Amino acid sequence: MDTIYSEWIIAWYLEHKRDLPWRGIADPYRIWVSEIILQQTRVNQGLDYYLRFVERFPDVRALAEADEDEVLKYWQGLGYYSRARNLHKAAKKVMADFGGVFPREYKDILSLNGVGEYTAAAIASFAYGLPYATVDGNVYRVLARLFALFTPIDTPKGKAEFARLAQSLLPPDHAGLHNQAMMEFGALQCVPSSPDCGHCSLQSQCKACEQGLVAQLPVKSQRTKVQDRYFNYLYILCNGHTFLQKRTGNDVWKGLYEFPLIETDRQYAVDELIADRRFGQLLEGAGEVEVQAVSPLMKHVLSHRNIFARFVTIRIRQASPMLGGALLCVPLDEVDRYAVSRLTEMFLERE
């Protein structure tokens, strides 16, 4: 396919690109960390996390040898915590299967936990100059508009079609530069809503702009169903301590710590919550139970869920058998050592 698109986008990139610490380097480890952080995080939010993360874990060995709780603590606030757990697992795999040397082959990079085709292509092209096209949300949007493609991008047919097109545009000798240019062009110029087409260097070549279709592209075939969930956290105070539990199972915030939780199918009044058998079981044997405060209802939006949460501050004089046996008893001034969700972090910031 004509390379003019690549030449123009690269020219645009060299003039407009942002100065970011993971650009202009060939360290596959740091490129990998940046790509995982940026998968579902905006650059301006992810930058500080990246800098802190690579300062604490400067190479794959440091990450592999760290405790998972510490890794999650450094990830706290970024969300999508499976990304951090997979980073940790993949670092261990690099140490075990590749002698501690980050793999150079695309198929080996793709074998790492949490690394899909896009991330593998990014690492392979940025670090090693290998000719693999990256196709992320930005690239889907740029290609859909440039070529006025209405194939839904969230279908197997669409993914295959866009992958072939992206690969056909890739100049093998400048794969990394081209990929970064395409992604940056989508992030800064060809933005999702109200792009400035009048000042776009590709306007004359853009079929969507020519046909007045920019706002309609790209196309998705499905809308994700959003589930509402209701979390009632019990912030239990007992002689300068509180209680935490670690989330397990395949649910949100797996591996993070939280206060004892009672999840309900709707928003409960405080009296209803106190009457819930789980409340009684948790605090049975704790003596006098004093409800000191109830936080306002907090809405926390995740990709497929709306979490409606509140924190009930409770004071007791002694730990109940369930609290003392199943949960961690933590001094109040040490709670910030544990990795918690951003929702819990916001509550603690107000305390």
Side-chain angles (χ1 to χ4, degrees):
M1 183 173 288
D2 196 338
T3 60
I4 191 65
Y5 297 105
S6 180
E7 292 173 2
W8 284 352
I9 288 178
I10 287 175
W12 175 92
Y13 174 73
L14 294 176
E15 181 179 354
H16 298 281
K17 66 177 180 177
R18 290 168 289 185
D19 184 17
L20 300 171
W22 49 81
R23 285 187 176 153
I25 63 172
D27 182 344
Y29 170 76
R30 296 198 173 206
I31 292 169
W32 170 49
V33 170
S34 73
E35 287 300 325
I36 298 300
I37 286 177
L38 295 178
Q39 277 179 4
Q40 289 158 307
T41 305
R42 296 186 302 275
V43 168
N44 59 352
Q45 179 190 3
L47 178 57
D48 287 343
Y49 282 93
Y50 168 83
L51 294 174
R52 285 197 297 270
F53 197 90
V54 297
E55 180 180 10
R56 170 58 188 89
F57 312 111
D59 53 40
V60 71
R61 179 179 294 276
L63 179 57
E65 292 178 350
D67 184 79
E68 182 182 282
D69 282 350
E70 185 182 14
V71 175
L72 290 173
K73 182 62 180 177
Y74 272 82
W75 203 267
Q76 181 175 302
L78 274 173
Y80 301 94
Y81 290 90
S82 61
R83 295 182 294 171
R85 293 194 299 272
N86 282 329
L87 265 175
H88 194 218
K89 292 176 184 176
K92 291 178 179 292
K93 181 179 176 69
V94 171
M95 297 304 299
D97 296 352
F98 299 99
V101 178
F102 202 92
R104 295 183 62 93
E105 298 295 328
Y106 174 83
K107 63 178 179 59
D108 293 331
I109 299 171
L110 191 59
S111 75
L112 299 178
N113 304 72
V115 174
E117 292 179 352
Y118 159 75
T119 304
I123 298 168
S125 63
F126 300 165
Y128 306 126
L130 299 178
Y132 292 90
T134 55
V135 187
D136 69 348
N138 290 318
V139 175
Y140 276 121
R141 187 166 57 257
V142 171
L143 294 179
R145 289 172 174 172
L146 271 178
F147 298 96
L149 300 177
F150 277 82
T151 310
I153 62 175
D154 56 350
T155 62
K157 179 182 177 182
K159 291 177 181 178
E161 180 179 342
F162 279 86
R164 287 193 300 270
L165 176 57
Q167 192 66 35
S168 74
L169 292 173
L170 186 74
D173 295 337
H174 304 289
L177 181 60
H178 170 89
N179 282 336
Q180 294 199 63
M182 288 287 288
M183 294 156 60
E184 190 81 335
F185 188 80
L188 299 183
Q189 176 64 47
C190 196
V191 295
S193 300
S194 303
D196 186 5
C197 297
H199 292 89
C200 177
S201 59
L202 288 178
Q203 179 187 18
S204 63
Q205 303 296 320
C206 179
K207 293 183 179 178
C209 187
E210 176 187 345
Q211 299 172 29
L213 301 173
V214 170
Q216 301 176 40
L217 294 168
V219 172
K220 287 188 177 181
S221 66
Q222 303 172 9
R223 293 192 65 181
T224 303
K225 184 178 180 180
V226 178
Q227 177 187 9
D228 290 341
R229 298 178 66 177
Y230 298 87
F231 286 9
N232 302 275
Y233 284 115
L234 306 184
Y235 180 46
I236 302 172
L237 306 177
C238 180
N239 301 319
H241 292 70
T242 191
F243 299 89
L244 296 175
Q245 61 188 9
K246 194 171 189 178
R247 289 186 68 86
T248 58
N250 293 318
D251 199 359
V252 297
W253 303 323
K254 178 182 177 182
L256 300 188
Y257 290 85
E258 65 183 0
F259 300 120
L261 169 66
I262 297 176
E263 182 172 358
T264 53
D265 59 2
R266 56 180 172 80
Q267 183 180 347
Y268 271 27
V270 176
D271 290 346
E272 287 182 286
L273 183 64
I274 293 173
D276 190 289
R277 62 175 178 78
R278 292 168 291 179
F279 187 95
Q281 289 171 349
L282 185 66
L283 293 170
E284 184 177 2
E288 183 180 353
V289 176
E290 178 188 357
V291 177
Q292 290 193 327
V294 179
S295 75
L297 192 67
M298 305 166 68
K299 181 179 180 181
H300 193 71
V301 179
L302 302 177
S303 57
H304 302 151
R305 299 171 184 87
N306 293 323
I307 306 294
F308 295 92
R310 64 181 169 183
F311 294 78
V312 181
T313 302
I314 297 169
R315 186 172 295 277
I316 59 176
R317 294 185 179 181
Q318 63 186 35
S320 66
M322 183 170 287
L323 287 175
L327 283 82
L328 290 173
C329 182
V330 179
L332 291 173
D333 60 1
E334 294 183 11
V335 172
D336 62 358
R337 294 173 51 186
Y338 293 83
V340 298
S341 70
R342 177 57 184 152
L343 182 67
T344 298
E345 185 180 27
M346 289 189 293
F347 167 74
L348 290 171
E349 289 171 351
R350 299 173 184 174
E351 286 298 296

